Amino acid sequence: MNRFARLLLAILSFATPCLASAREIVDMAGRHVAIPDKIARVYGSSPPATLMIYALAPEMMIGLNTPYLVGEKSYLRKEAANLPALGSQAGFGRTLNPEEVMSRHPDVVIAWLDRFVDSAKAESSFSKMGLPVVFVKLDTLADYPATFRFLGDLFGKKEKAEALAAYVEDAQAGVKRAVGDIPAAEKLRVYYAESPDGLATDCDKSFHAEPIVLAGGDNVYHCGQANHMGMEKIALEQIVAFRPEIILAQDRSFAGRVMTNPFWRNVPAAKDGKVFYIPHEPFNWLDRPPSYMRALGIQWLANLFYPNRFPLDLKAETKKFYSFFLGVEIDDADVDRILGKN
C-alpha cells in the first residue's frame, strides 16, 4: 500500500465517527468549527499550544512536538514526557508528520493563531485529514487567561482553567503594581542575548522579548518584530553602544564565559558580572517557546531588576508554580538546579 493510500485509509477510518457526533463552536479566530461532542484526544500543532494542553488536560495529549531531554523529563508528568514526538507547524524541532498524527486518532487539533503564520495553510493541512482545527490566541501573556478559559470550556475543565487563568492574571497584576510606574529614564537597561555567541537578540516590541518589558526593564534593542522567528543578528559594537546594565542569556555556556571574555569587557553588564542565565527546565521561563511559564518568569525578572519594589520568595513561588502548572513536586535543590546554581 503506497503512502497516499495509507493516508486516505486513515482519514476515512477517523472522519466518520467525528461527523456522527459533531457540535459547533466559534474559535478564537472567529471561525465556526464542528468538533465532537466529547473530546478525549488532542494534538497541539506547535509547542505553545501543546503546553496549554499539558497544563490543563495532560491525559488528553496524544503526542509532543519535539522529544524532551532526560533533564527536562524529571520536571514533567511521566505519562506526558514519554509521548511520541509528532512534529510541529511552527518553531524549532521536527516537521509535522500528518500520518503519525492521524495514527493516534486525535479528536481535535489546537493551533496557535500566530499573526506571522498563514493560518489558512495550517487549517488546510489538517482539514485534508478530516481533523477539526481550533485556533487559540497565545501571542502575549495577556492572551493566556482568556485562552485557558476557552480551552477549559472546550475540554470540560472549567474549574481548573479558571484557577490557571487567575494565577496568570494575578502574576501580571502584581508585577504591574510594583514596577508599572517606573519612569522610562529610570528603567534598567537590559540586553537579551540569544545564540551561543550572544550576538542574536529580539526587539523590545517582539513577543519573544515581552517578559522584559512586563517586568519593567528597558530592552535596549528598540524596534518592531519583523517575522515569527526573530533572533536578529547584532554586532558587539552596537551592544557596547547600548550600555546594558543586565544581560539575560539563553545559552548557559555563553552566560558562564561572557564575564571573562575580553571582547565583551566594554559591555557594562558583562564587566560588572550582571549576566543571568534564563531558566529552561523543563520549559523556558521567558521564550522559545513562549508560554505560561512567563507568569513565573516576569516575577523572577521583576525581583531581579527591582528587588525592593518586588520582593519575592523565588524558591517558594517556583515550587508552587511547578506543582500547579506542571503537576510535579520539586524541592530547594531542584530550584537551584533550574536556576543554574548547581
Side-chain angles (χ1 to χ4, degrees):
M1 186 181 294
N2 61 33
R3 185 175 185 271
F4 176 77
R6 290 198 306 273
L7 181 58
L8 179 60
L9 181 60
I11 290 172
L12 291 174
S13 66
F14 175 79
T16 301
C18 282
L19 294 174
S21 56
R23 57 177 166 135
E24 185 175 279
I25 64 159
V26 177
D27 71 6
M28 299 184 82
R31 299 161 54 253
H32 291 256
V33 185
I35 62 173
D37 279 336
K38 182 174 175 55
I39 294 173
R41 298 175 64 77
V42 185
Y43 173 67
S45 67
S46 65
T50 299
L51 266 58
M52 293 295 284
I53 303 166
Y54 177 94
L56 189 56
E59 74 282 1
M60 293 184 181
M61 296 174 67
I62 65 159
L64 310 172
N65 303 111
T66 58
Y68 294 122
L69 304 175
V70 173
E72 297 168 335
K73 286 184 176 181
S74 60
Y75 300 113
L76 292 168
R77 299 174 188 271
K78 290 181 180 178
E79 64 272 24
N82 293 320
L83 287 169
L86 305 177
S88 172
Q89 280 195 314
F92 295 110
R94 289 185 55 188
T95 302
L96 177 70
N97 186 323
E99 286 182 309
E100 282 190 87
V101 173
M102 288 295 297
S103 72
R104 298 190 62 86
H105 301 286
D107 295 316
V108 66
V109 173
I110 303 299
W112 175 11
L113 184 62
D114 181 351
R115 66 184 185 276
F116 294 105
V117 174
D118 185 349
S119 58
K121 184 178 179 181
E123 178 184 0
S124 175
S125 64
F126 289 108
S127 295
K128 290 176 182 174
M129 298 182 243
L131 292 175
V133 180
V134 175
F135 284 99
V136 294
K137 292 183 178 178
L138 295 169
D139 278 359
T140 69
L141 189 57
D143 290 331
Y144 279 75
T147 301
F148 269 126
R149 291 179 177 118
F150 173 81
L151 291 177
D153 186 50
L154 194 71
F155 297 162
K157 300 267 187 180
K158 286 186 177 182
E159 186 175 348
K160 186 173 183 181
E162 179 58 37
L164 294 168
Y167 181 98
V168 176
E169 287 174 335
D170 291 346
Q172 285 186 275
V175 168
K176 186 175 182 179
R177 279 196 301 272
V179 305
D181 63 346
I182 299 175
E186 296 177 15
K187 291 183 177 181
L188 276 175
R189 301 172 61 79
V190 181
Y191 173 64
Y192 180 30
E194 301 177 279
S195 74
D197 64 4
L199 298 178
T201 192
D202 273 293
C203 303
D204 62 331
K205 296 180 179 61
S206 165
F207 67 69
H208 287 294
E210 183 197 29
I212 297 171
V213 176
L214 293 179
D218 173 19
N219 179 350
V220 294
Y221 193 54
H222 294 175
C223 48
Q225 184 173 356
N227 55 54
H228 173 88
M229 186 56 68
M231 294 188 73
E232 297 183 17
K233 297 302 294 183
I234 184 172
L236 181 57
E237 292 77 8
Q238 191 172 357
I239 300 171
V240 172
F242 284 147
R243 299 176 290 102
E245 299 165 279
I246 282 181
I247 293 175
L248 299 175
Q250 286 278 22
D251 187 273
R252 190 167 187 164
S253 177
F254 169 78
R257 68 176 186 275
V258 65
M259 288 177 284
T260 56
N261 186 326
F263 294 104
W264 286 73
R265 64 178 178 275
N266 293 322
V267 178
K271 182 181 178 181
D272 298 338
K274 300 290 186 182
V275 181
F276 300 92
Y277 167 69
I278 300 168
H280 283 68
E281 294 172 329
F283 312 126
N284 194 300
W285 284 18
L286 304 187
D287 187 26
R288 304 193 190 281
S291 76
Y292 47 76
M293 298 298 290
R294 293 177 166 195
L296 177 61
I298 61 172
Q299 296 177 82
W300 167 60
L301 287 186
N303 175 256
L304 180 70
F305 295 167
Y306 311 105
N308 292 330
R309 280 179 171 260
F310 193 78
L312 176 70
D313 184 338
L314 182 58
K315 284 188 175 179
E317 194 63 36
T318 301
K319 287 187 279 189
K320 173 185 172 183
F321 187 95
Y322 275 54
S323 175
F324 196 37
F325 281 81
L326 306 182
V328 294
E329 303 301 323
I330 60 175
D331 57 24
D332 286 355
D334 291 321
V335 176
D336 285 341
R337 193 174 303 112
I338 291 167
L339 293 174
K341 294 182 178 179
N342 59 30

